[in-house]
């Protein structure tokens, strides 16, 4: 039981798509996350017009908040439904584009141009496709990644960060004996060793 049993657990992309279809999206926060407000200064560090990345973005309303503050948002999400709901719920017009570097992927981009959401797996991205970022909002992302993919995820994230970027990570502390995840329990010691 416990963390041991979570280690081998895999949530497939099909399972995620199904959650969106069924509306099993208890992770979505209609009102946005209070910790982003609390740590906004840490993320921005006095800078404006940042490029901010939302890994495993779902339809996180924080993308709209930060875009409204003048930042450029890039997100990635396997569920096209999630991305379409995002644009619809904020009444944002958008267009769909192919992503030549990634077969089968799409990019949904707000007509105003400052929100660009990739519909594909995060593992399909690289800095040559999406560039590098000044800030990352990782809420429900590292903790949703399958435990066997954590190292790969973090290594990729590091390649997507500019030198002076800030990375806000929300992790949840809970009794991993009572819940098999996601979110998975990622102990603080593991977060430290993953990011080095
Ligand atoms: N960050 C969002 C969503 C968290 S839930 C929020 O704060 O609300 C995790 C999301 O990751 C789900 O929407 C799921 O569809 C998506 N996802 C899971 N695996 C993925 C992958 N490999 N690449 C991109 N998105 C993925």
């Amino acid at each position: 039981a416990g963390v041991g049993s979570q280690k081998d657990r895999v949530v497939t992309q099909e399972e995620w798509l199904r959650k969106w279809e069924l509306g099993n999206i208890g992770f979505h926060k209609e009102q946005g996350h209070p910790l982003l407000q609390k740590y906004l200064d840490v993320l921005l560090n006095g800078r404006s017009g940042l490029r901010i990345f939302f890994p495993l973005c779902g339809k996180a309303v924080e993308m709209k908040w930060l875009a409204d503050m003048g930042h450029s948002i890039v997100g990635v999400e396997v569920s096209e439904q999630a991305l379409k709901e995002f644009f619809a719920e904020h009444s944002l017009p958008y267009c769909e584009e192919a992503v030549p570097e990634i077969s089968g992927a799409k990019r949904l981009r707000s007509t105003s141009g400052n929100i660009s959401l990739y519909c594909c797996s995060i593992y399909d991205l690289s800095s040559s496709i999406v560039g590098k970022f000044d800030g990352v909002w990782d809420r429900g992302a590292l903790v949703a990644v399958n435990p066997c993919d954590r190292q790969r995820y973090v290594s990729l994230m590091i390649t997507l960060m500019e030198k002076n970027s800030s990375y806000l990570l929300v992790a949840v502390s809970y009794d991993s004996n009572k819940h098999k995840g996601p979110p998975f329990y990622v102990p603080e010691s593991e977060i430290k060793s993953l990011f080095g």
Side-chain angles (χ1 to χ4, degrees):
V3 179
S5 74
Q6 283 192 354
K7 270 219 155 53
D8 304 316
R9 173 137 155 83
V10 168
V11 181
T12 64
Q13 291 193 15
E14 289 67 34
E15 289 176 80
W16 282 111
L17 297 182
R18 191 100 184 102
K19 285 181 202 283
W20 279 100
E21 277 165 29
L22 297 173
N24 285 336
I25 53 163
F27 51 82
H28 176 67
K29 277 193 166 337
E30 209 76 51
Q31 304 306 322
H33 208 291
L35 286 174
L36 180 56
Q37 266 152 342
K38 184 164 178 203
Y39 292 103
L40 185 63
D41 293 345
V42 176
L43 182 66
L44 304 182
N45 194 18
R47 303 166 297 171
S48 57
L50 302 187
R51 296 193 77 227
I52 300 178
F53 186 47
F54 279 67
L56 282 64
C57 61
K59 54 174 181 175
V61 301
E62 297 86 357
M63 299 194 283
K64 176 73 166 47
W65 290 359
L66 289 166
D68 287 345
M69 292 175 206
H71 305 290
S72 301
I73 307 302
V74 174
V76 62
E77 166 60 53
V78 285
S79 167
E80 184 172 355
Q81 180 184 340
L83 300 180
K84 292 195 159 157
E85 286 179 13
F86 172 78
F87 288 114
E89 287 168 14
H90 297 284
S91 310
L92 289 170
Y94 66 94
C95 54
E96 288 186 30
E97 309 161 328
V99 183
E101 301 93 333
I102 311 169
S103 77
K106 265 188 200 173
R107 183 171 50 222
L108 278 59
R109 195 157 52 88
S110 64
T111 308
S112 57
N114 59 346
I115 305 179
S116 217
L117 306 181
Y118 286 78
C119 185
C120 61
S121 169
I122 187 167
Y123 305 113
D124 295 331
L125 298 183
S126 65
S127 61
S128 61
I129 302 171
V130 291
K132 294 197 184 224
F133 298 96
D134 307 302
V136 176
W137 172 246
D138 181 325
R139 184 268 166 179
L142 173 66
V143 299
V145 160
N146 291 319
C148 58
D149 293 325
R150 269 178 205 158
Q151 187 62 65
R152 180 185 184 195
Y153 170 84
V154 171
S155 301
L156 170 63
M157 293 304 290
I158 290 170
T159 67
L160 298 181
M161 292 168 72
E162 289 285 7
K163 285 219 163 49
N164 288 312
S165 58
S166 345
Y167 193 113
L168 289 189
L169 171 72
V170 182
V172 200
S173 186
Y174 68 87
D175 184 348
S176 53
N177 292 300
K178 299 198 176 128
H179 177 77
K180 62 184 176 10
F184 297 108
Y185 178 56
V186 190
E188 194 165 350
S189 57
E190 184 171 347
I191 294 173
K192 289 198 171 122
S193 71
L194 282 166
F195 285 92

